[in-house]
Short mmCIF file of all heavy atoms in Angstrom, two decimals:
data_model
loop_
_atom_site.label_atom_id
_atom_site.label_comp_id
_atom_site.label_asym_id
_atom_site.label_seq_id
_atom_site.Cartn_x
_atom_site.Cartn_y
_atom_site.Cartn_z
N GLU A 176 -33.22 -42.55 9.65
CA GLU A 176 -34.45 -41.92 9.28
C GLU A 176 -34.45 -40.43 9.78
O GLU A 176 -33.91 -40.13 10.80
CB GLU A 176 -35.60 -42.70 10.08
CG GLU A 176 -35.75 -44.06 9.72
CD GLU A 176 -36.28 -44.33 8.34
OE1 GLU A 176 -36.93 -43.40 7.76
OE2 GLU A 176 -36.22 -45.49 7.83
N HIS A 177 -35.08 -39.60 8.94
CA HIS A 177 -35.29 -38.23 9.39
C HIS A 177 -36.45 -38.21 10.36
O HIS A 177 -37.42 -39.00 10.24
CB HIS A 177 -35.44 -37.24 8.19
CG HIS A 177 -36.77 -37.42 7.47
ND1 HIS A 177 -37.91 -36.85 7.92
CD2 HIS A 177 -37.04 -37.97 6.27
CE1 HIS A 177 -38.88 -37.16 6.95
NE2 HIS A 177 -38.33 -37.88 5.99
N VAL A 178 -36.42 -37.28 11.34
CA VAL A 178 -37.37 -37.34 12.46
C VAL A 178 -37.78 -35.87 12.76
O VAL A 178 -37.30 -34.95 12.27
CB VAL A 178 -36.82 -37.98 13.71
CG1 VAL A 178 -36.60 -39.49 13.42
CG2 VAL A 178 -35.49 -37.36 14.15
N ALA A 179 -38.78 -35.81 13.73
CA ALA A 179 -39.12 -34.55 14.23
C ALA A 179 -38.01 -33.77 14.95
O ALA A 179 -37.26 -34.48 15.66
CB ALA A 179 -40.32 -34.69 15.16
N ALA A 180 -37.92 -32.52 14.72
CA ALA A 180 -36.82 -31.73 15.45
C ALA A 180 -37.30 -31.40 16.91
O ALA A 180 -38.50 -31.71 17.23
CB ALA A 180 -36.73 -30.41 14.68
N GLN A 190 -40.89 -27.53 10.08
CA GLN A 190 -41.54 -28.84 9.74
C GLN A 190 -43.07 -28.74 9.85
O GLN A 190 -43.80 -29.30 9.01
CB GLN A 190 -40.92 -29.80 10.66
CG GLN A 190 -39.59 -30.27 10.43
CD GLN A 190 -39.05 -31.28 11.50
OE1 GLN A 190 -39.54 -31.39 12.67
NE2 GLN A 190 -38.09 -32.07 11.11
N LEU A 206 -43.12 -35.41 8.26
CA LEU A 206 -41.95 -34.68 8.79
C LEU A 206 -41.71 -34.71 10.34
O LEU A 206 -40.75 -34.47 10.87
CB LEU A 206 -41.94 -33.12 8.37
CG LEU A 206 -41.91 -32.78 6.87
CD1 LEU A 206 -42.21 -31.50 6.64
CD2 LEU A 206 -40.48 -33.29 6.44
N THR A 207 -42.82 -35.08 11.03
CA THR A 207 -42.79 -34.85 12.50
C THR A 207 -42.90 -36.12 13.33
O THR A 207 -43.30 -36.15 14.45
CB THR A 207 -43.92 -33.80 12.94
OG1 THR A 207 -45.18 -34.32 12.49
CG2 THR A 207 -43.69 -32.51 12.30
N ARG A 208 -42.52 -37.25 12.72
CA ARG A 208 -42.56 -38.48 13.46
C ARG A 208 -41.34 -38.58 14.45
O ARG A 208 -40.30 -38.37 14.11
CB ARG A 208 -42.59 -39.60 12.42
CG ARG A 208 -43.92 -39.83 11.76
CD ARG A 208 -43.89 -41.03 10.92
NE ARG A 208 -45.28 -41.26 10.36
CZ ARG A 208 -45.60 -42.14 9.47
NH1 ARG A 208 -44.70 -42.93 8.90
NH2 ARG A 208 -46.88 -42.23 8.98
N LYS A 209 -41.69 -39.10 15.64
CA LYS A 209 -40.66 -39.37 16.56
C LYS A 209 -40.36 -40.91 16.61
O LYS A 209 -40.71 -41.67 17.55
CB LYS A 209 -41.21 -38.98 18.02
CG LYS A 209 -41.53 -37.50 18.05
CD LYS A 209 -42.24 -37.18 19.46
CE LYS A 209 -42.63 -35.69 19.45
NZ LYS A 209 -43.37 -35.35 20.64
N ILE A 210 -39.74 -41.28 15.57
CA ILE A 210 -39.44 -42.70 15.25
C ILE A 210 -38.71 -43.38 16.33
O ILE A 210 -38.80 -44.66 16.61
CB ILE A 210 -38.76 -42.88 13.88
CG1 ILE A 210 -39.82 -42.46 12.81
CG2 ILE A 210 -38.25 -44.16 13.59
CD1 ILE A 210 -39.24 -42.25 11.41
N TRP A 211 -37.79 -42.68 16.97
CA TRP A 211 -36.93 -43.31 18.07
C TRP A 211 -37.88 -43.80 19.16
O TRP A 211 -37.55 -44.83 19.91
CB TRP A 211 -35.97 -42.30 18.57
CG TRP A 211 -36.54 -41.08 19.36
CD1 TRP A 211 -36.73 -41.02 20.75
CD2 TRP A 211 -36.97 -39.87 18.77
NE1 TRP A 211 -37.33 -39.78 21.02
CE2 TRP A 211 -37.47 -39.09 19.89
CE3 TRP A 211 -36.95 -39.27 17.47
CZ2 TRP A 211 -37.93 -37.73 19.61
CZ3 TRP A 211 -37.47 -38.05 17.30
CH2 TRP A 211 -37.89 -37.31 18.42
N HIS A 226 -29.03 -39.40 17.84
CA HIS A 226 -29.58 -38.36 17.05
C HIS A 226 -28.44 -37.56 16.39
O HIS A 226 -27.52 -37.19 16.98
CB HIS A 226 -30.43 -37.38 18.01
CG HIS A 226 -31.67 -38.06 18.46
ND1 HIS A 226 -32.90 -37.94 17.84
CD2 HIS A 226 -31.90 -38.69 19.66
CE1 HIS A 226 -33.81 -38.53 18.54
NE2 HIS A 226 -33.21 -39.05 19.57
N PRO A 238 -32.84 -33.24 11.04
CA PRO A 238 -32.64 -34.11 12.22
C PRO A 238 -32.88 -35.52 11.69
O PRO A 238 -33.91 -35.82 11.01
CB PRO A 238 -33.79 -33.59 13.15
CG PRO A 238 -34.29 -32.31 12.58
CD PRO A 238 -34.05 -32.33 11.12
N HIS A 239 -32.02 -36.37 12.11
CA HIS A 239 -32.10 -37.82 11.85
C HIS A 239 -31.90 -38.68 13.05
O HIS A 239 -31.31 -38.16 14.11
CB HIS A 239 -31.05 -38.23 10.80
CG HIS A 239 -31.36 -37.85 9.46
ND1 HIS A 239 -31.44 -36.51 9.00
CD2 HIS A 239 -31.62 -38.51 8.28
CE1 HIS A 239 -31.71 -36.36 7.73
NE2 HIS A 239 -31.79 -37.62 7.31
N VAL A 240 -32.27 -39.94 13.09
CA VAL A 240 -31.85 -40.91 14.05
C VAL A 240 -31.22 -42.09 13.32
O VAL A 240 -31.69 -42.55 12.18
CB VAL A 240 -33.14 -41.44 14.87
CG1 VAL A 240 -34.16 -42.03 14.00
CG2 VAL A 240 -32.71 -42.27 15.94
#
Side-chain angles (χ1 to χ4, degrees):
E176 300 287 341
H177 69 80
V178 294
Q190 287 178 333
L206 293 171
T207 57
R208 286 184 173 173
K209 300 174 183 178
I210 292 168
W211 67 92
H226 290 269
H239 285 63
V240 63

